[in-house]
């Protein structure tokens, strides 16, 4: 039972951190692309960087001084799509010259149109494979409900653990000490 309580609290803490990071991105970061410590995350939606980065991978990137970029670095840059919405592109650097960066996806036949170094959001750090869809769930309208359900489950597991533990303790002591011990164990949790 102790394992399940620790597991539930760990999952809850991770989700709490992700929610806080997202809140920070939305409220306090003017570019809106990086969170705590200049680290951002994105879900990959194309196969242009396979086999290194696949569709539905969750990637993490760090904001970077564009003067430190070099050929073959994988960068994340912002671009406006045909609908006028900003999107993030994750591609490999081919060339840097005169304040512009030329990139290309590993699977693409031709290079991308050069972008200003101002469009560079960050440099690729690492990925967590195939969990992008799950991560996207927390950025939808259902996110508050999902977090509420998760914390409710954590609470139920914790209360169940307390009840089982309390019964074991109360069964092992005399009647006179039961009230005192029950109160002590309640506050010990």
């Amino acid at each position: 039972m102790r394992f399940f309580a620790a597991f539930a609290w760990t999952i809850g803490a991770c989700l709490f951190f992700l929610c806080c990071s997202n809140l920070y991105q939305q409220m306090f970061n003017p570019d809106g692309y990086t969170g705590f410590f200049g680290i951002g995350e994105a879900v990959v939606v194309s196969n242009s960087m396979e086999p290194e980065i696949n569709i539905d991978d969750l990637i993490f990137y760090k904001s970077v001084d564009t003067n430190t970029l070099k050929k073959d670095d994988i960068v994340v840059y912002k671009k406006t799509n045909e609908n006028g919405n900003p999107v993030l592109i994750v591609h490999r650097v081919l060339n840097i010259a005169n304040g512009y960066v030329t990139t290309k996806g590993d699977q693409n036949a031709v290079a991308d149109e050069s972008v200003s170094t101002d469009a560079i959001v960050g440099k690729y750090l690492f990925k967590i494979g195939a969990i992008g869809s799950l991560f996207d769930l927390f950025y939808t309208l259902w996110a508050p409900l999902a977090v509420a359900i998760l914390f409710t489950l954590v609470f139920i597991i914790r209360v169940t653990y307390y009840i089982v533990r309390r019964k074991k303790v109360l069964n092992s002591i005399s009647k006179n000490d039961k009230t005192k011990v029950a109160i002590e164990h309640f506050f010990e949790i």
Side-chain angles (χ1 to χ4, degrees):
M1 200 61 162
R2 196 172 275 243
F3 169 77
F4 291 113
F7 179 73
W9 280 108
T10 302
I11 295 295
C14 290
L15 288 174
F16 180 75
F17 176 78
L18 286 174
C19 290
C20 287
S21 177
N22 185 29
L23 181 66
Y24 174 83
Q25 279 179 279
Q26 292 177 2
M27 293 180 65
F28 302 113
N29 196 344
D31 70 11
Y33 292 106
T34 56
F36 294 128
F37 310 112
I39 296 175
E41 68 281 325
V43 177
V44 177
V45 295
S46 82
N47 66 348
S48 65
M49 286 299 292
E50 287 182 348
E52 185 156 349
I53 302 172
N54 302 304
I55 292 175
D56 208 31
D57 284 351
L58 176 64
I59 64 151
F60 291 85
Y61 57 90
K62 182 164 180 51
S63 56
V64 65
D65 177 8
T66 54
N67 294 324
T68 63
L69 292 176
K70 58 188 181 304
K71 185 177 190 237
D72 290 329
D73 283 345
I74 298 175
V75 295
V76 178
Y77 66 92
K78 57 187 172 187
K79 179 179 173 182
T80 304
N81 67 9
E82 57 276 355
N83 298 332
N85 298 323
V87 293
L88 294 178
I89 308 292
V90 182
H91 281 172
R92 193 175 302 277
V93 173
L94 291 180
N95 186 30
I96 304 168
N98 302 324
Y100 285 88
V101 178
T102 305
T103 63
K104 177 181 167 293
D106 291 351
Q107 290 293 317
N108 295 349
V110 296
D112 303 325
E113 184 178 314
S114 293
V115 296
S116 167
T117 53
D118 294 337
I120 302 294
V121 175
K123 183 177 173 182
Y124 169 78
L125 293 173
F126 65 93
K127 71 175 182 178
I128 301 175
I131 67 162
S133 296
L134 177 65
F135 189 77
D136 271 346
L137 171 69
F138 294 101
Y139 289 98
T140 65
L141 295 175
W142 292 101
L145 179 62
V147 171
I149 289 171
L150 180 72
F151 280 108
T152 301
L153 289 173
V154 169
F155 178 76
I156 289 169
I157 290 171
R158 188 66 176 156
V159 167
T160 304
Y161 171 73
Y162 164 73
I163 291 169
V164 169
R165 182 172 159 211
R166 181 174 172 251
K167 283 184 180 181
K168 285 181 182 177
V169 169
L170 290 177
N171 288 338
S172 67
I173 60 174
S174 69
K175 270 192 167 185
N176 295 337
D177 294 331
K178 281 188 179 183
T179 304
K180 180 181 174 187
V181 170
I183 291 172
E184 287 173 358
H185 282 282
F186 178 79
F187 290 108
E188 189 178 292
I189 291 179

